Amino acid sequence: MKFAISYSTADGLDPDGLVTYARHAEDCGFEGLYLPEHIVLYPGAALGPFEFPPSLPFPDPLDCLAFVAAATRRILLGTAVLLLPYHHPVVLAKRLATIDVLSKGRMRLLTVGLGTLPGEARATGVDFGTRGRRTDEAIDVLRLLWEGDEKGVSFDGEFFGFDNVTSYPKPHSGTHLPIHVGGSSRAAARRAGRRGDGYFPGGALTPEERATQWELARAAAVEAGRDPGALEYTRWGSIDMSAERVEAFAAQGVTRIVVGPTSADPEHQRDEMSAFAERFALLSAG
C-alpha cells in the first residue's frame, strides 16, 4: 500500500507554511502530495449539501506543485482533482511536462476530473454538458503530444485540432505521464478503465457502489484491450485510520490511500502526519 497526503488552502495560501508542510510530509515518508482545484467560485456554488464560501482560496495547483518541487527532493506531485475540461490540453501538456522535467520526474500523481459547478464551466467558456467528451479528447491530446517526435503529430477532434505540431520538453525519462481519473460516477469509472492509469473515486459512495465502479473500471479496461491489472486504485482515507481498515482497503484492490490532517493548526498537522507515519512505518516502507 502507498500512502499520500493532501494539502488544504482553506485558511489561505502561506508559502512558508506550504513548504514546511511538504518537507515534513517528505521527511515522514509519504509518497506524494495532492492539491485540489477550483478555477472560480461564486455565491451559491455547492457540492451536494456543502456550499463553498465565495472567498475560499483555491490557488492554481500546478503552480503550487512547481513551488513545492523546488523545495523538496523526493515527494511526488499530485492533483485531486485537476478540472481537465477547463484547461486547453495543448497548453497543459507543456505545463505538466515542464514541471515533470524540473522536478526530475515527480509529476506522477495527476488526477483529472470533470467538475460539478455549472458556473465554473460558464466562466471558462465551456458547455457544461460537453465536459465528459472534452475530457476524453483532452486525455488523448495530452498523450499524443507527449509521445510525438520531431516529425510532429496531428489531431482532428470535436473540440481540439492541430496539424504536424511538436511539443517539447518531453516528460522526464520518457514520453508518458500517468493520468488518473477522479470522480464519483460510473462514467468516471469507465473513463478510468478506457483511458486512465488509475481510478480515484470520491468519498460519498456506498461500499456496494464503490465495488461496482471498480469492477466497471476493470471491465472497461478489458473491453479497450488494456490490462486491468495495471490500473492503480486510489482512495481517500482518514489520518487516524487503523491497520485493520488499511487491510480492508487492500482487500478491495486499493493500491494507494490519501489522507489529510484534521487540524488547521500547523504544529498539530505535523504531529498528525508524524503519528500516521510512525503507525504505518512509512520510512521503513519507503
Side-chain angles (χ1 to χ4, degrees):
M1 184 69 70
K2 302 170 185 176
F3 297 96
I5 192 92
S6 63
Y7 181 78
S8 171
T9 58
D11 296 314
L13 181 60
D14 171 24
D16 294 330
L18 174 57
V19 166
T20 299
Y21 185 99
R23 285 175 171 167
H24 188 71
E26 182 171 76
D27 290 342
C28 284
F30 284 96
E31 177 203 24
L33 176 72
Y34 283 83
L35 272 82
E37 178 178 50
H38 276 291
I39 296 171
V40 295
L41 295 175
Y42 49 91
L47 178 61
F50 174 74
E51 184 169 326
F52 293 98
S55 61
L56 190 64
F58 276 96
D60 184 279
L62 299 184
D63 289 341
C64 286
L65 291 172
F67 181 76
V68 164
T72 54
R73 307 174 309 280
R74 177 196 59 79
I75 199 162
L76 300 184
L77 312 172
T79 58
V81 295
L82 190 80
L83 302 178
L84 186 53
Y86 309 146
H87 292 268
H88 197 295
V90 174
V91 178
L92 186 61
K94 177 82 72 174
R95 293 185 69 195
L96 290 168
T98 299
I99 295 172
D100 194 56
V101 170
L102 293 178
S103 66
K104 299 180 181 179
R106 290 190 280 149
M107 186 67 247
R108 299 301 161 126
L109 296 176
L110 172 72
T111 306
V112 302
L114 270 60
T116 60
L117 303 180
E120 198 165 25
R122 286 194 298 272
T124 55
V126 171
D127 180 347
F128 190 71
T130 67
R131 294 168 4 270
R133 301 199 309 277
R134 290 181 70 97
T135 295
D136 288 344
E137 206 167 285
I139 292 173
D140 294 344
V141 168
L142 290 172
R143 292 221 173 97
L144 179 67
L145 289 170
W146 291 330
E147 294 168 2
D149 59 19
E150 65 276 4
K151 297 177 183 177
V153 292
S154 301
F155 189 87
D156 182 17
E158 180 182 0
F159 305 101
F160 309 107
F162 44 82
D163 295 308
N164 300 320
V165 302
T166 62
S167 182
Y168 286 84
K170 300 300 181 186
H172 182 74
S173 299
T175 58
H176 176 66
L177 289 180
I179 301 175
H180 299 252
V181 174
S184 298
S185 68
R186 297 185 181 189
R190 287 188 288 266
R191 178 171 294 109
R194 291 169 183 158
R195 283 181 165 82
D197 295 283
Y199 186 39
F200 190 169
L205 296 171
T206 65
E208 295 76 16
E209 180 63 18
R210 287 194 187 284
T212 295
Q213 289 190 12
W214 180 231
E215 286 308 311
L216 275 174
R218 291 175 57 83
V222 172
E223 291 170 3
R226 309 176 75 217
D227 177 10
L231 282 177
E232 294 197 72
Y233 187 19
T234 304
R235 287 268 296 277
W236 291 107
S238 60
I239 203 161
D240 60 353
M241 67 195 306
S242 64
E244 291 75 17
R245 183 62 174 153
V246 171
E247 290 172 2
F249 272 40
Q252 297 166 29
V254 176
T255 55
R256 178 181 296 102
I257 295 173
V258 183
V259 301
T262 61
S263 175
D265 177 75
E267 185 175 350
H268 290 164
Q269 289 179 342
R270 291 192 291 274
D271 289 343
E272 287 183 294
M273 282 191 274
S274 296
F276 186 94
E278 183 176 353
R279 188 158 70 251
F280 293 104
L282 297 193
L283 287 174
S284 299

